[in-house]
Amino acid sequence: MGSTFEAFCVQAVAYFRWVNAAQAATDKEPLIINMDEVSLCYHITGIVGTVLRTQPHLATSPKDKSRLSDRRGNITYMASICNDVTVNQKLPQVLLGNCRRFAVRLIKEATGHLPNNIVLWREKSAWNNHRLMQRFISLLCRCLGEDVVERAVYLVVDMAPCHIHPEVWATAMKKNIRLILVPAGLTGSLQPLDTHVFRLFRAKIQELWLDYKAKAEKGQLLVLDWLKLSLPASLP
């Protein structure tokens, strides 16, 4: 236990020294942005209030009526926050869905309900990859505008392969953004989105989902309804 804690401390100290050295290398005001993904389930199962357990007048056991594709279908939220509250509203929040979940018609219908910083990406897969990571960096720069030039921008990410791909590094350097990597195994303690945001975010999504499902006709939500209830809980 002692050696594990010591190793953790050594890595954490090394990480913060790296961050301090990166900031000391420039005279510009630092803008530290943390980006990470969280998987959002379309149909939440196994929570209190979803299914009535006892129905004395029915011979069949109560079940959560939902399609297998809905229970297994996830959307990736590519979230971003920063150390400057005045910039947070600019940061892109990307909902990434596959072609089946994010139909073209859905994208068009949802457009009018989206805040300016929330974007829907329709791809073959709902999982992030190095190509989409490059696209995210380009989107981030457009959203930041002059801040990319006037400030020293640091993008904090974990060690996921799609974050540390050579082409991602090349894109970041080209866009004047420096990547800072959180050591593997330490994201739960050092990465802001993991330590302060995602747990509260998931809890809020669950609360809104239960409330909306209780009011929905036949207890079923359309994907557009799911998006509408997700947006109020979106970052920051």
Side-chain angles (χ1 to χ4, degrees):
M1 180 65 180
S3 59
T4 302
F5 179 72
E6 289 178 3
F8 171 86
C9 291
V10 169
Q11 285 184 296
V13 170
Y15 168 76
F16 284 114
R17 284 180 174 173
W18 182 19
V19 174
N20 291 336
Q23 294 185 58
T26 178
D27 295 330
K28 295 181 179 180
E29 181 183 4
L31 179 61
I32 303 176
I33 300 170
N34 179 208
M35 178 272 168
D36 197 16
E37 303 91 352
V38 60
S39 180
L40 303 179
C41 184
Y42 173 64
H43 186 92
I44 306 174
T45 59
I47 55 178
V48 176
T50 304
V51 179
L52 182 64
R53 290 185 177 180
T54 57
Q55 294 179 327
H57 302 295
L58 295 179
T60 58
S61 300
K63 296 181 179 180
D64 186 4
K65 296 181 179 179
S66 60
R67 295 179 300 180
L68 180 62
S69 61
D70 289 340
R71 296 196 299 272
R72 292 182 176 178
N74 288 358
I75 294 173
T76 294
Y77 196 155
M78 301 173 66
S80 54
I81 59 173
C82 73
N83 63 321
D84 188 336
V85 294
T86 64
V87 178
N88 260 326
Q89 294 295 333
K90 298 180 181 180
L91 298 182
Q93 313 297 332
V94 178
L95 289 173
L96 173 62
N98 61 30
C99 295
R100 181 176 181 180
R101 184 66 61 187
F102 279 3
V104 174
R105 184 178 63 180
L106 172 69
I107 300 293
K108 293 180 179 179
E109 291 177 349
T111 300
H113 302 281
L114 297 177
N116 293 332
N117 65 326
I118 296 183
V119 182
L120 302 184
W121 283 356
R122 181 175 183 264
E123 298 289 334
K124 292 183 179 179
S125 170
W127 299 104
N128 193 14
N129 56 48
H130 73 273
R131 178 182 62 82
L132 294 177
M133 192 63 197
Q134 294 176 74
R135 182 180 174 187
F136 178 86
I137 291 175
S138 297
L139 174 62
L140 174 64
C141 290
R142 292 197 299 272
C143 292
L144 290 177
E146 292 300 318
D147 285 326
V148 178
V149 178
E150 298 174 355
R151 304 180 66 171
V153 181
Y154 304 93
L155 184 60
V156 179
V157 294
D158 59 33
M159 299 288 288
C162 64
H163 296 163
I164 60 177
H165 191 279
E167 293 182 13
V168 174
W169 281 87
T171 300
M173 291 180 62
K174 183 178 179 180
K175 299 293 185 178
N176 203 30
I177 291 179
R178 178 164 181 174
L179 295 182
I180 295 180
L181 304 181
V182 179
L186 272 67
T187 57
S189 300
L190 299 182
Q191 182 166 229
L193 281 168
D194 279 343
T195 59
H196 291 80
V197 176
F198 282 156
R199 181 179 298 178
L200 296 175
F201 177 70
R202 284 181 181 274
K204 186 61 177 180
I205 286 287
Q206 178 175 302
E207 175 189 339
L208 293 171
W209 184 85
L210 277 174
D211 181 66
Y212 209 111
K213 187 174 185 293
K215 297 175 182 178
E217 183 178 357
K218 298 181 181 180
Q220 296 180 344
L221 276 69
L222 300 175
V223 179
L224 181 59
D225 295 329
W226 185 92
L227 285 173
K228 290 178 181 178
L229 72 86
S230 300
L231 296 180
S234 300
L235 305 176

